[in-house]
Amino acid sequence: MFRVRPLPSEATASYVQRLAHTYQLPLPQLLAGAGITLTGHGTPPTAELHLSPAACHHIAALARIPLPHLRRALPHLAPLDDAHDTETAAARWKRLEAGQQPVRACTLCTRHRSQNATDTAWVHRPPHRLVCPRHQQAAPDPRLTSTVHTRAVPELVAAHHAHQRLRRHPRDATAWTAARAVTTRWYDHQQHLTHRWHTRLTRLCATNPHLTTTSNASPALLARDLVTYPETVTLARTLATLPNRPHRTTGDTLSLIAHRLGLPRLASNANDPLRTFLTHTRH
């Protein structure tokens, strides 16, 4: 019996596949040995494995991990939608839309939690876990079948630690959503930080040639979240800590944000998404 620890936010199919690798079995054979009936076909990240309540218990017993702990680690470990018979141990593949698909997990973290049987796992990565700070790997897009090594961009680790501090603020979720929308718009429309972001993308591509050969997407799109991450965190932290509106003006706030981003100023544009957000938001 092996104890294979789940990765935080791991896809159910990914975890069961890692169990199978550890026992050197194909996934259908592992499930059959655990008394679970499998229907359909699929593989992560394009499909997820949905389990009946009984199947969840069987997997927890096989993994030697209490089911409540497993549920906390695997966000999609949920019963089959149409599982009325709670006594039947069943599993079914379900195809995922592009926006629902997990991304590749850090290979070294995966190997450490897989008895060295595999380095492949897929996780539904929350924003604050974009980068593995220990091994400096990331997978910002589900179309990437290999992780991106980020040692050439050390500011990403600093941004990761700053993001953990941001999460302690009561307005962190709202500030993060707004900041990411703003930096994504700036990136797509080549505003404000274009030269810095282009330099960062060039460094990432130089150390990760697969960025230029993955699917039909450009490296600029595949790595966008990584390229903009430090500035997104900085902007989110600034937005989260702004004083109440009666004590600030939009111009003062833009000057403060420009300073935090290391810019001499932010060009005055009535259609700029940041100006629009500041004008219509009251704290």
Side-chain angles (χ1 to χ4, degrees):
M1 295 288 289
F2 296 104
R3 190 171 189 273
V4 177
R5 290 185 296 156
L7 292 158
S9 305
E10 188 170 4
T12 304
S14 169
Y15 180 68
V16 177
Q17 183 71 69
R18 288 200 299 118
L19 272 176
H21 276 302
T22 303
Y23 283 99
Q24 299 182 21
L25 293 171
L27 185 143
Q29 192 172 336
L30 176 88
L31 293 177
I36 300 171
T37 302
L38 175 64
T39 57
H41 301 276
T43 55
T46 57
E48 180 59 295
L49 202 58
H50 287 227
L51 306 179
S52 69
C56 291
H57 284 279
H58 287 210
I59 291 297
L62 179 64
R64 297 195 299 164
I65 295 176
L67 185 56
H69 295 182
L70 207 56
R71 287 192 188 279
R72 281 196 292 270
L74 310 180
H76 288 196
L77 185 65
L80 288 164
D81 298 335
D82 54 359
H84 302 297
D85 182 4
T86 58
E87 300 300 321
T88 300
R92 184 184 69 224
W93 284 105
K94 183 176 182 181
R95 188 164 184 82
L96 297 173
E97 299 295 331
Q100 301 173 318
Q101 292 177 13
V103 297
R104 183 77 183 269
C106 170
T107 58
L108 295 178
C109 288
T110 301
R111 185 168 290 281
H112 178 67
R113 295 195 180 207
S114 304
Q115 306 284 335
N116 287 318
T118 181
D119 65 2
T120 302
W122 301 89
V123 295
H124 295 280
R125 172 189 55 75
H128 65 277
R129 292 197 184 119
L130 178 62
V131 179
C132 171
R134 181 177 181 183
H135 303 119
Q136 298 193 45
Q137 293 185 31
D141 191 287
R143 287 169 290 189
L144 288 166
T145 56
S146 300
T147 57
V148 175
H149 293 272
T150 62
R151 292 189 186 277
V153 189
E155 59 265 35
L156 292 175
V157 172
H160 168 85
H161 293 309
H163 200 166
Q164 310 318 303
R165 295 192 294 274
L166 169 65
R167 294 184 67 230
R168 297 195 287 266
H169 196 281
R171 292 204 297 260
D172 72 301
T174 302
W176 173 260
T177 300
R180 186 171 183 270
V182 168
T183 55
T184 298
R185 175 77 177 273
W186 285 351
Y187 184 86
D188 291 344
H189 291 264
Q190 299 186 18
Q191 293 176 285
H192 304 309
L193 295 149
T194 302
H195 177 72
R196 186 188 304 176
W197 284 338
H198 179 74
T199 301
R200 193 173 292 154
L201 177 62
T202 300
R203 298 209 309 263
L204 287 171
C205 289
T207 53
N208 297 277
H210 64 282
L211 277 173
T212 62
T213 59
T214 298
S215 70
N216 59 354
S218 70
L221 182 59
L222 292 171
R224 178 174 61 191
D225 283 352
L226 270 182
V227 170
T228 62
Y229 186 57
E231 289 73 29
T232 303
V233 172
T234 298
L235 178 57
R237 293 185 71 194
T238 306
L239 294 177
T241 56
L242 287 177
N244 292 331
R245 190 172 180 85
H247 302 289
R248 64 178 171 87
T249 66
T250 299
D252 290 340
T253 301
L254 289 173
S255 296
L256 171 64
I257 292 172
H259 174 72
R260 295 277 179 86
L261 292 174
L263 296 171
R265 63 185 182 87
L266 287 169
S268 181
N269 182 344
N271 296 321
D272 187 277
L274 178 58
R275 178 178 286 275
T276 301
F277 172 79
L278 294 173
T279 302
H280 294 92
T281 302
R282 293 182 178 275
H283 295 282

